[in-house]
Amino acid sequence: MFPDAGPDDPTVTAMRARELGRKSVVVGDRVGLVGDTSGAPGALARIVRIAERRSVLRRTAEDDATTAEGRLERVVVANADQLVIVSALADPPPRTGFIDRCLVAAYDADIEPLLCLTKADLAGPEAVIGYYTELELPYVLIRPDSDLAALRALLAGRISVLVGHSGVGKSTLVNRLVPAADRAVGTVSAIGRGRHTSTSAVALRLPPLPEADSDPGWIIDTPGVRSFGLAHVSGESLLHGFPDLVEATVDCPANCQHTAEEADCALDAWVAAGKADPRRLASYRRLLASRSGEGDPREPERNPGDPLAGS
Ligand SMILES: Nc1nc2c(ncn2[C@@H]2O[C@H](COP(=O)(O)OP(=O)(O)OP(=O)(O)O)[C@@H](O)[C@H]2O)c(=O)[nH]1
Ligand SMILES: [Mg+2]
């Protein structure tokens, strides 16, 4: 029912059939079609089935599940294998709190993370990479003239979705990877304000690799997000986004909430013994606080030590 379309198959325009009810189709979904699938001008097919999703990447508008915004859950994409967390090294400045949130979402959805640091021509990556030393998080550095062969190799054979703040260069990168894509690119405005250039997610087939027969994979460009809310992730799953901390919690007392107020939380000793970066623990606890409505509403994803906006 859901055969793979080959690169030479036509692009079919289809609408959701009424029998799907309230089920929504998202980018990355594999669907069953009926009707005119010729791809001829004016031809219209109908989507009658959605295949079971291998993965579902979600985010919420806010962290606090007790608010209406916190309960507003959005499916970003279906069936992605890899979450490419795109962060600029400057303009807009990197936010490790945002990257940490994306890592939580990736582990929660069982999608592999890849850190993509753009605008390496404007600032060095040392601070961001140093923060993730203990994680063995794969990363790529992108500058306007950089060779993309290493990135193409990491994208091969998989469905990868790009997520990041507005203006970090997601669409610029997609246009370099898929020259026919012609995604609009914008100018950078301050984080959380201004216009978002891309307004919808689009999946694009990557061009063939030099090695014939190997599947180049798919790349999904998404609109910039202001924040990556995690109200849908349970407290326990939140910790899985911090694999450098999780091991310590076997020594926590039963029902430990791991907050700074927990007198015997084993995470404090773990960090004091140099087994994890104290900034990662602080970031985890900021996330916990944000979920209970105690976060800093102005810039929830800026950890102490991240550059100031405008720098
Ligand atoms: N200096 C520098 N500028 C870059 C680089 N990559 C992208 N830019 C610039 O950053 C600006 C924003 O790029 P976009 O690709 O539109 O950013 P986006 O992430 O798609 O933004 P949204 O669609 O709003 O989410 C453009 O002016 C790009 O030319 C880079 O590696 N170095
Ligand atoms: Mg864009």
Side-chain angles (χ1 to χ4, degrees):
M1 179 93 185
F2 304 102
D4 249 331
D8 301 324
D9 279 321
T11 302
V12 176
T13 304
M15 59 183 284
R16 218 167 57 90
R18 193 173 299 146
E19 56 257 44
L20 282 178
R22 291 171 56 105
K23 248 189 260 167
S24 58
V25 186
V26 300
V27 171
D29 264 327
R30 298 173 64 84
V31 299
L33 298 174
V34 298
D36 188 344
T37 56
S38 66
L44 189 62
R46 287 190 308 135
I47 299 172
V48 290
R49 267 189 55 195
I50 303 170
E52 199 178 318
R53 293 169 178 165
R54 206 168 57 235
S55 71
V56 183
L57 180 68
R58 303 168 204 275
R59 70 180 184 94
T60 51
E62 264 180 18
D63 284 329
D64 185 352
T66 61
T67 65
E69 283 283 282
R71 280 190 298 272
L72 186 63
E73 193 175 301
R74 299 171 182 160
V75 173
V76 183
V77 289
N79 297 320
D81 306 302
Q82 183 162 250
L83 178 63
V84 184
I85 306 164
V86 187
S87 170
L89 289 163
D91 194 24
R95 291 287 173 256
T96 54
F98 177 81
I99 299 171
D100 287 346
R101 285 161 176 274
C102 292
L103 289 172
V104 169
Y107 289 108
D108 186 61
D110 208 7
I111 300 175
E112 278 184 59
L114 169 66
L115 181 59
C116 178
L117 299 170
T118 59
K119 312 201 188 186
D121 52 315
L122 302 181
E126 297 76 18
V128 177
I129 290 168
Y131 178 82
Y132 291 106
T133 317
E134 268 115 34
L135 236 56
E136 291 173 29
L137 176 63
Y139 71 90
V140 287
L141 289 182
I142 307 289
R143 53 177 82 232
D145 58 352
S146 59
D147 176 45
L148 298 178
L151 176 59
R152 284 189 202 280
L154 290 165
L155 300 176
R158 317 204 242 188
I159 300 173
S160 302
V161 54
L162 303 177
V163 297
H165 287 136
S166 192
V168 295
K170 297 178 294 299
S171 300
T172 302
L173 184 58
V174 165
N175 284 339
R176 290 184 63 201
L177 288 165
V178 189
D182 204 16
R183 294 287 281 166
V185 298
T187 48
V188 177
S189 52
I191 289 181
R193 272 160 267 147
R195 227 155 26 92
H196 292 216
T197 305
S198 305
T199 51
S200 58
V202 172
L204 298 153
R205 188 190 292 278
L206 288 156
L209 295 164
E211 312 85 59
D213 299 342
S214 65
D215 167 19
W218 287 79
I219 188 97
I220 302 177
D221 188 15
T222 65
V225 294
R226 194 174 59 83
S227 66
F228 207 107
L230 295 171
H232 60 292
V233 178
S234 72
E236 207 47 45
S237 299
L238 207 60
L239 196 54
H240 293 141
F242 295 79
D244 43 341
L245 301 178
V246 71
E247 203 184 319
T249 58
V250 295
D251 294 327
C252 281
N255 299 323
C256 180
Q257 299 300 305
H258 313 309
T259 60
E261 292 73 44
E262 291 271 3
D264 297 319
C265 177
L267 287 169
D268 295 284
W270 182 258
V271 163
K275 291 182 172 156
D277 193 319
R279 294 173 298 177
R280 286 275 293 165
L281 175 57
S283 178
Y284 170 60
R285 286 186 169 154
R286 293 181 82 237
L287 251 180
L288 284 176
S290 177
R291 285 161 46 89
S292 48
E294 298 156 22
D296 176 355
R298 280 164 306 153
E299 259 208 276
E301 293 170 345
R302 178 170 177 263
N303 280 328
D306 286 347
L308 291 165
S311 62

